[in-house]
Amino acid sequence: MEAFPVPLKIIMEAVKHFINAIASPKILFNIVFLFYLIVFPPFKFFQRIHDALGIDRLWTKRGGIFIFSLMFLAFAFGLTDANFRLIVLKPDNVPIVALLFLVVFFLWFAMTQAKENDEAIAKGDKPKEYADSREKVLVFPDLVYIEFLCLIFVAVLLAVWAIGLPAPLEQPANPTVSPNPSKAPWYFLGLQEMLVYFDPWIAGVVLPTAILLGLMCIPYIDKNRKGLGYYTYQDRKMAINTFMFFWLVLWMFLIFIGTFLRGPNWSFFGPFEYWDHNKLEVLNNINLSQYVFMIWLKQGMPSNILLREAPGFLVLAVYFGLLPAIFAKTIFKDLYQRIGGIRYSIFVVFLLMALALPIKMYLRWLFNIKYIIAIPEFFFNI
Amino acid sequence: MADIKPPVSNTLDTNSTSNPPGDMDRRSFIKWSLVGWGAFVAVIGGYGSMVGRFLFPNVLFEPVQTFRAGTPYEYEIGVSERFKEKYGVWIVREKEKIFALLAVCTHLGCTPNYLPADHKFKCPCHGSGFYTNGINFEGPAPRSLERLKITLADDGEIVVDKTIRFHYEKGEWSNQDSFIPV
Ligand code: FES
């Protein structure tokens, strides 16, 4: 433990405290969201910031070295901390650490190629892949040979991994004992995080279905034929920026949170914080109807269920009924004209559904809102 | 396509007055289709009933749903975890009553833990919290924990019946069977 001189240690502790503090979801989510807006700007305003900062310099060899040295440095710094080591080096979590690096790597890789192509196209040249399509190789042996090598390599890797980092089975399932914290497999942690903010019906059935349907809709909504068969960013800006929001913020980031920042009792813990089973987090959550009737109007809850939940229904009607129309006149004006009414409505409804997740998170963090519509009598809570 | 024979069902065409030789007339078509469909329904029905039978096993290895929980004097004010391991039930004693809470989170069905220091039940899955009386107050759980039917047997022992549940949001906690006055 005495590996570092004392003054350095103090600085390191201070940094850790700072990181723990900003890792609280309210702050971290804002940081990640801002990051996304600047790196993949969906709006003109952020595009200007993006340009001013010269973000696209990240998508070069130099930029890659910069990103990865930063990531490795941060990781190495984290490893000096016992609590961090405990979570990150847990055999179950190793794939997710690898995943973080891999996601960033492939993001950088694709964007770099896209940038090279974009520059070539801007100069009037053809994209790099254009030459590839004329050159032909034989399936056998060229392709099969590579596939075979990959197969051997992956098999060896998995074998070594399984021997080196044992992740044994736990004791037989017992319905009266849930491990604390109870975590879903990593690929479901995004869903589990959604469940914190929604009723199981919504987060477990409706939203996943909407995600699948939304993915199926993409080729029908987006008719843009540019960018077929080659990496590009400029030709597919809108599509890439939208996708990155779902992929990076609503999926990868939630998996990250679920894996590293959720501890016992599903409380939130900073990366350098000890997972204390008795950490007290007081969250008194209130439904919207209670807000309206008991706090604003200072009266009892109406006994009629529909009347009681009228504010929630109103909010929902405005959200899904009015907002698409408003958007069509304002921020999505061009889009609306380009893809037409039907495509536009489908697109907007899915987009609003997806945005409901971050919105609900904010409502929970800022106002302790539990449900917009809460009819537990009929298992209907939104 | 020209030399492929039209399918048999073409004879159903009501406009054709005569039957081409070798084809079925309407009567035998109906007869055979009845036979075919009948066989189909019989097979599906047979399999269906077998599958249905499968859903009702002869022997059920389920823990008993009714259990005796000692006498009321054995409980101090607070939450007793005596029967949590075995039956998934907390016996809670308040000043004036004893009731049984089912240890199943109303969010997605995990088993919450009792945190004595904070006087609450806390679910490890998505962080729902419940007061010791079962009311939900934090996290996503939309309803309170369910109370179970609890009665005193003739010999003064508490009997808990897990098959009968009382929901707070339906106003059932005032039901006589949902608690024992002490
Ligand atoms: S199952 Fe208990 S909080 Fe989700």
Side-chain angles (χ1 to χ4, degrees), chain A residues 23-151:
Chain A
S24 106
K26 298 166 218 192
I27 304 174
L28 190 62
F29 193 85
N30 285 320
I31 295 176
V32 170
F33 196 48
L34 201 72
F35 218 72
Y36 156 75
L37 286 176
I38 291 174
V39 177
F40 294 102
F43 302 114
K44 291 219 179 63
F45 173 74
F46 291 101
Q47 181 71 50
R48 260 178 265 139
I49 301 181
H50 174 98
D51 294 340
L53 291 175
I55 294 288
D56 55 357
R57 274 178 302 174
L58 285 179
W59 316 128
T60 55
K61 291 241 163 58
R62 279 241 209 112
I65 294 172
F66 172 70
I67 297 176
F68 276 94
S69 11
L70 213 65
M71 278 184 82
F72 277 110
L73 251 169
F75 193 67
F77 171 75
L79 283 182
T80 59
D81 184 89
N83 290 323
F84 186 86
R85 272 200 306 266
L86 208 65
I87 308 296
V88 167
L89 299 185
K90 196 170 163 229
D92 297 14
N93 289 345
V94 168
I96 300 142
V97 176
L99 168 133
L100 289 183
F101 284 90
L102 284 176
V103 163
V104 174
F105 172 73
F106 282 112
L107 195 67
W108 169 83
F109 190 56
M111 289 304 288
T112 309
Q113 281 174 299
K115 186 170 186 252
E116 279 168 17
N117 278 344
D118 287 341
E119 278 161 4
I121 293 170
K123 270 194 267 154
D125 294 340
K126 296 269 181 212
K128 229 177 28 192
E129 288 84 349
Y130 188 72
D132 291 357
S133 61
R134 355 204 92 205
E135 190 187 314
K136 296 213 162 73
V137 289
L138 298 169
V139 169
F140 187 85
D142 298 71
L143 176 69
V144 175
Y145 177 69
I146 294 176
E147 284 177 348
F148 183 63
L149 278 185
C150 284
L151 187 137

Side-chain angles (χ1 to χ4, degrees), chain A residues 175-182 192 195-196 198-200 265-266 280-281 283-285 364 370-371 376-377 379 381, chain B residues 84-85 88 107-108 110-111 113 115 118 120 122-127 131 136-143 169:
Chain A
T176 59
V177 179
S178 298
N180 192 4
S182 284
Q192 191 170 4
L195 278 163
V196 175
F198 285 99
D199 184 78
N265 300 325
W266 214 248
L280 193 56
E281 249 182 288
L283 306 152
N284 243 319
N285 293 331
R364 177 70 66 78
K370 181 152 67 180
Y371 289 115
E377 292 90 338
F379 305 102
N381 308 288
Chain B
K84 172 151 187 240
E85 271 286 295
H107 181 229
L108 210 50
C110 290
T111 309
N113 297 308
L115 307 182
D118 308 334
K120 66 178 181 188
K122 186 83 177 161
C123 184
C125 290
H126 317 93
Y131 293 125
N136 55 323
F137 73 102
E138 60 182 3
R143 302 181 291 122
E169 70 279 2

Side-chain angles (χ1 to χ4, degrees), chain A residues 3 38 66 103 128 167 190 243 253 261 275 314:
Chain A
I38 291 174
F66 172 70
V103 163
K128 229 177 28 192
F243 174 78
F253 178 57
L261 303 181
W275 279 19
L314 192 73

Side-chain angles (χ1 to χ4, degrees), chain A residues 74-378:
Chain A
F75 193 67
F77 171 75
L79 283 182
T80 59
D81 184 89
N83 290 323
F84 186 86
R85 272 200 306 266
L86 208 65
I87 308 296
V88 167
L89 299 185
K90 196 170 163 229
D92 297 14
N93 289 345
V94 168
I96 300 142
V97 176
L99 168 133
L100 289 183
F101 284 90
L102 284 176
V103 163
V104 174
F105 172 73
F106 282 112
L107 195 67
W108 169 83
F109 190 56
M111 289 304 288
T112 309
Q113 281 174 299
K115 186 170 186 252
E116 279 168 17
N117 278 344
D118 287 341
E119 278 161 4
I121 293 170
K123 270 194 267 154
D125 294 340
K126 296 269 181 212
K128 229 177 28 192
E129 288 84 349
Y130 188 72
D132 291 357
S133 61
R134 355 204 92 205
E135 190 187 314
K136 296 213 162 73
V137 289
L138 298 169
V139 169
F140 187 85
D142 298 71
L143 176 69
V144 175
Y145 177 69
I146 294 176
E147 284 177 348
F148 183 63
L149 278 185
C150 284
L151 187 137
I152 293 176
F153 175 72
V154 172
V156 169
L157 181 78
L158 287 180
V160 171
W161 187 346
I163 294 167
L165 286 177
L169 293 177
E170 291 177 20
Q171 62 273 58
N174 176 352
T176 59
V177 179
S178 298
N180 192 4
S182 284
K183 293 198 179 183
W186 64 267
Y187 42 85
F188 278 149
L189 280 176
L191 286 180
Q192 191 170 4
E193 196 58 32
M194 268 162 47
L195 278 163
V196 175
Y197 303 95
F198 285 99
D199 184 78
W201 266 106
I202 303 291
V205 180
V206 176
L207 288 182
T209 315
I211 292 173
L212 290 181
L213 289 179
L215 287 174
M216 285 183 217
C217 280
I218 289 176
Y220 302 99
I221 290 175
D222 179 12
K223 296 184 299 177
N224 188 350
R225 296 193 61 83
K226 279 188 193 164
L228 278 188
Y230 61 95
Y231 285 96
T232 174
Y233 177 58
Q234 298 300 340
D235 287 351
R236 303 304 303 257
K237 243 188 181 160
M238 159 103 190
I240 292 178
N241 289 339
T242 318
F243 174 78
M244 286 305 170
F245 176 67
F246 297 109
W247 170 239
L248 291 180
V249 183
L250 291 192
W251 198 246
M252 295 321 300
F253 178 57
L254 291 189
I255 289 179
F256 168 78
I257 287 189
T259 311
F260 298 115
L261 303 181
R262 288 291 191 183
N265 300 325
W266 214 248
S267 304
F268 221 88
F269 290 87
F272 305 114
E273 207 172 328
Y274 171 65
W275 279 19
D276 180 1
H277 278 245
N278 293 319
K279 177 173 178 175
L280 193 56
E281 249 182 288
V282 187
L283 306 152
N284 243 319
N285 293 331
I286 313 179
N287 294 325
L288 180 67
S289 50
Q290 289 166 321
Y291 253 111
V292 171
F293 288 108
M294 290 165 65
I295 297 180
W296 290 339
L297 301 180
K298 301 219 187 313
Q299 59 180 60
M301 302 290 284
S303 53
N304 184 318
I305 295 177
L306 287 183
L307 180 64
R308 188 185 73 198
E309 300 305 331
F313 282 114
L314 192 73
V315 168
L316 227 62
V318 169
Y319 187 69
F320 282 109
L322 223 56
L323 275 192
I326 296 175
F327 282 170
K329 291 258 153 60
T330 54
I331 48 174
F332 288 145
K333 209 169 174 186
D334 305 346
L335 183 79
Y336 178 64
Q337 261 137 30
R338 192 144 43 86
I339 65 178
I342 296 178
R343 284 202 170 80
Y344 170 78
S345 346
I346 295 175
F347 167 75
V348 164
V349 167
F350 278 121
L351 189 76
L352 286 176
M353 276 185 148
L355 287 181
L357 174 62
I359 291 176
K360 190 96 192 275
M361 289 169 141
Y362 276 114
L363 287 180
R364 177 70 66 78
W365 295 330
L366 297 179
F367 306 110
N368 283 330
I369 290 262
K370 181 152 67 180
Y371 289 115
I372 308 279
I373 297 178
I375 310 183
E377 292 90 338
F378 296 103

